[in-house]
Amino acid sequence: MFKRLALIGLLACAPAAAHAQTGPWVGTWGASPAPPLAATAAPTGFAVPKTAFDDQTLVQVVRLSTGGRRLRLRLSNAYGSVPLQIGAVRVAVLDAKGEAAGDRAVTFSGAATALIPVGAPMVSDPVDISTRALARLRVAIYLPGKVALCTCHMSGGETALLSPPGDYTQRPIPPSLGKTPLTYRAFLTGVEVQGAARGPVIVAFGDSITDGYLSTNDADRRWPDRLAERLAARGQAAVVNAGIGGNRILSDGVISIFGVSALARFDRDVLAIPGATHLIVLEGVNDIGMGAASPPTAEALIAGLRQMIARAHDRGLKVIGGTILPYEGANYFRSEGEVVRQAVNRWIRTGGEFDGVIDFDAAMRDPAKPARMKAELQSGDWLHPNDAGYRVMGDAVNLKLFAAR
């Protein structure tokens, strides 16, 4: 009887012991998906597929923010019209020269293939591959069937490759076969690691400025990238970018690839990130600018921000508010909108409702013309920073905001 009780006790402790040995899953990279858009409706600067995927392999590279002893992928068919067929997936860590240091097959409930239901995400099985902070990971996804609607993130900032017909997950795409470079993310929405050193898991939530629009492709120059670099130099920490270009707090995007409203996507893109401890919110300039001479009131935008604070606090996250950058000179700037921006920023700084504040406005504005960015920090449209500006933003974040609670 004693032996039987002892055995029962050991079995009861086994799951907890296994969890303690490997640790919890944490998000290390992300790309928030948005509804698809026909190529004919695409605005300048967004690469949209002109044809459907059909019996092709998509190869994407991502830079992880924190490392671990193993990883898993999060794929999505959120905006598909039919179940998404996955024929094969493989991952490989890249060395400093961009060469694969070994690759692994990715499975789903033990199978090499998967069928993702309409509207659903799918998390892969764990993959035993060790990664370090700021490691680059190559993900090859074979799509054996025709995919008419892409669950995509249209401003990827990284060159991906689309193969000719066939499964190229275990072989290179020969240049002679006409490989097609892309700059959007398709179907891959997250990477999670297990066995990471204990540290904060930060979600950067916002619009194109968080997404790093007009930063240099393939260079990881977004402000969350810079924040991840600073944190990695001090120890392990994760930064997940949940920005979508054109996104707004109160309304869906004026075109579909700008995503549903921040309030509508908040649970999926913030609260579903495993291990999240902190949230940085930088959003509102599109609500203001796209409102032209009749922008939303400061009170309406503040109410939207309060919703995010409340919903994040319910899950135990600390919420840090980022002041809205100056945008005079942008094509949608209006004096009426500037009044709203100043009022919202004043509340962010002094309202006391955020757990911390990052004054991006103060870091980026021209002291002689405070309604606009410093000329040397903007990309040319007076709305988006350039690489130097994104670096200033990343350096403006006080790392003490992420001290252990």
Side-chain angles (χ1 to χ4, degrees), residues 111-197:
T113 63
L115 191 66
I116 307 178
V118 173
M122 181 167 284
V123 178
S124 77
D125 298 334
V127 181
D128 290 323
I129 187 169
S130 180
T131 54
R132 54 177 171 72
L134 307 182
R136 296 178 68 79
L137 185 75
R138 187 183 68 196
V139 181
I141 303 172
Y142 172 50
L143 305 167
K146 186 171 183 178
V147 185
L149 297 177
C150 177
T151 294
C152 284
H153 178 94
M154 285 301 166
S155 183
E158 186 86 27
T159 302
L161 295 177
L162 184 62
S163 79
D167 179 356
Y168 284 82
T169 57
Q170 297 189 68
R171 53 179 171 153
I173 302 172
S176 60
L177 294 182
K179 57 186 178 183
T180 303
L182 313 168
T183 55
Y184 56 85
R185 302 293 186 185
F187 312 111
L188 177 65
T189 62
V191 181
E192 300 158 4
V193 294
Q194 193 174 44

Side-chain angles (χ1 to χ4, degrees), residues 273-294:
I273 301 298
T277 60
H278 294 76
L279 166 66
I280 302 173
V281 179
L282 173 58
E283 192 144 11
V285 70
N286 289 321
D287 295 77
I288 295 169
M290 292 176 187
S294 300

